Amino acid sequence: MTGGGRRARFISARQDLKRKAVNYQKGLELALTPDLVSGFETVVNRSRDRFVASVAPLLAKLRALQTAALATPEAAAAFIVETQAVSYAIKGLGGTLGYPLATAAAKSLNDFVHHRDGLDAKGLDVIRVHVDALYLILAQPQAEDDPTQRAVIDGLFQLTEKYG
Amino acid sequence: MSSAKIDFAQVRFLVIDPHPLSADLLKDVLQMLGAIGVVKCATTERAIELLRQEPFDIVITELETAPMNGFEFVHFIRTSSNSPDRLLPVIMLTARSEREYVAEARDQGITEFLAKPFTVDALYKRLISVIARPRQFVDAGTYFGPDRRRRPEPFQGPDRRESAPRQSVTA
């Protein structure tokens, strides 16, 4: 045996949660059936309207902020912070709620603004294009394999790659 | 013969997510599975207050939280002398899913990691793992958390486990 580090100490797995939640009478099977999974996903997808209703005002706020974003460094910083928060939220939620393209577009936008602390006219244009695309995506039926929509997403990632 | 089941009504969840819709969605999903005790909060500061006030079985946290981020929160839970429960199962559910974040989460002592956007099936599997297949903890000096070696893979480094005494204490 090599190495002079201290020996690892092991603590047995705690069983209290297993004892109180696992049983043979009541609850869900350990392995969900495909039908049950599909039923759950359908229920989750019913939150789609809530998603659109919640995201639309966030995008509207970004549009409002972007008009003055280059006026002062403070305005630019506030706009970037807001863009980071909105893009992160959409990135995390879209796919779960049946909007995988919203997640893709938001990921591209979040990649662009993550760690960014300044903004120029070109950067503002990149954000504006992403916000416009998100509006369109939320207004359209989702079809991940739609070549036009896919091309839009690819274009957004190219923008982020080029100017990010 | 009937098979094992999970009664989610017996499990108390604490959800930490600053985004209201995201927290609501997770709460809805947990309730759909049968959970009754689901509390959500927007900050890690509030989460620690809640953990001191009442018992929770599982914490599900975003990485992008404040004032501590998810990594700092888990580090606090696992290592602080003020931790409410060093063995508390913590699932990280985050939109930061790149490889480096997954590795960091593991090294901070996260019990399970799940990327957003998530599916109910993927979340369910993480919950089953936490509830029905709890892992032993390792205190290796520089690491305190669930055993990171889940699969029997050959390990090339020095073996400090061979004769380590097994303990059954709760930290």
Side-chain angles (χ1 to χ4, degrees):
Chain A
M1 194 161 96
T2 59
R6 65 170 270 201
R7 288 192 185 284
R9 185 173 72 103
F10 292 90
I11 300 164
S12 299
R14 202 155 72 177
Q15 302 294 327
D16 50 347
L17 180 55
K18 184 175 179 178
R19 269 196 294 270
K20 72 176 179 178
V22 180
N23 68 91
Y24 289 92
Q25 285 87 40
K26 194 177 167 196
L28 297 171
E29 303 281 340
L30 294 192
L32 289 177
T33 62
D35 282 352
L36 209 46
V37 171
S38 169
F40 285 151
E41 300 289 359
T42 304
V43 172
V44 168
N45 265 298
R46 286 189 199 134
S47 298
R48 287 176 63 142
D49 292 346
R50 204 157 37 124
F51 171 66
V52 175
S54 146
V55 162
L58 299 178
L59 292 175
K61 187 176 177 188
L62 284 188
R63 271 192 171 161
L65 286 174
Q66 75 190 10
T67 55
L70 296 183
T72 64
E74 292 75 22
F79 178 60
I80 289 170
V81 167
E82 194 65 28
T83 307
Q84 286 167 343
V86 171
S87 59
Y88 189 75
I90 299 174
K91 176 187 172 192
L93 278 166
T96 300
L97 296 171
Y99 285 93
L101 292 177
T103 281
K107 178 184 170 8
S108 174
L109 177 55
N110 193 259
D111 288 350
F112 184 73
V113 292
H114 191 43
H115 299 311
R116 181 174 290 271
D117 50 13
L119 197 63
D120 58 14
K122 216 159 241 167
L124 184 62
D125 282 343
V126 171
I127 295 175
R128 186 180 289 134
V129 168
H130 277 85
V131 171
D132 289 348
L134 280 164
Y135 264 111
L136 279 175
I137 288 166
L138 293 176
Q140 300 280 329
Q142 291 287 286
E144 207 171 358
D145 53 355
D146 180 296
T148 308
Q149 293 189 354
R150 198 63 253 173
V152 169
I153 298 298
D154 290 345
L156 293 177
F157 276 103
Q158 282 170 25
L159 268 179
T160 292
E161 180 81 24
K162 186 169 180 183
Y163 298 107
Chain B
M1 198 174 96
S2 61
S3 56
K5 295 179 170 62
I6 303 276
D7 183 3
F8 282 95
Q10 303 301 320
V11 185
R12 283 187 56 77
F13 292 92
L14 177 60
V15 171
I16 313 169
D17 197 319
H19 194 274
L21 182 58
S22 187
D24 286 346
L25 175 65
L26 183 55
K27 184 174 182 177
D28 289 350
V29 169
L30 293 170
Q31 288 177 333
M32 191 169 65
L33 296 176
I36 298 168
V38 185
V39 176
K40 55 194 174 76
C41 64
T43 68
T44 45
E45 189 176 35
R46 178 69 185 138
I48 291 168
E49 278 175 16
L50 287 165
L51 286 167
R52 292 210 170 104
Q53 287 166 9
E54 50 188 308
F56 288 94
D57 299 303
I58 298 175
V59 171
I60 304 179
T61 184
E62 235 300 341
L63 168 57
E64 301 271 321
T65 53
M68 286 188 261
N69 69 29
F71 293 150
E72 292 163 339
F73 172 75
V74 176
H75 186 75
F76 170 82
I77 292 291
R78 297 285 181 247
T79 63
S80 172
S81 57
N82 289 322
S83 171
D85 179 359
R86 294 182 70 197
L87 305 183
L88 183 67
V90 181
I91 298 175
M92 184 163 279
L93 178 59
T94 177
R96 294 256 174 265
S97 56
E98 291 80 4
R99 190 182 292 262
E100 63 266 30
Y101 294 108
V102 180
E104 180 67 19
R106 182 173 168 268
D107 290 345
Q108 293 296 342
I110 282 289
T111 315
E112 292 289 339
F113 187 99
L114 181 58
K116 288 180 184 173
F118 67 95
T119 62
V120 177
D121 190 37
L123 175 64
Y124 189 78
K125 283 174 179 155
R126 302 308 190 283
L127 294 172
I128 294 299
S129 175
V130 169
I131 297 166
R133 294 186 279 274
R135 282 182 283 158
Q136 68 178 352
F137 265 59
V138 178
D139 181 0
T142 53
Y143 172 78
F144 183 90
D147 195 341
R148 293 172 290 186
R149 295 191 209 171
R150 294 197 206 212
R151 284 171 293 182
E153 294 171 337
F155 177 65
Q156 303 301 323
D159 186 358
R160 296 199 292 267
R161 297 177 156 211
E162 201 170 32
S163 56
R166 184 171 294 267
Q167 304 210 359
S168 59
V169 296
T170 43

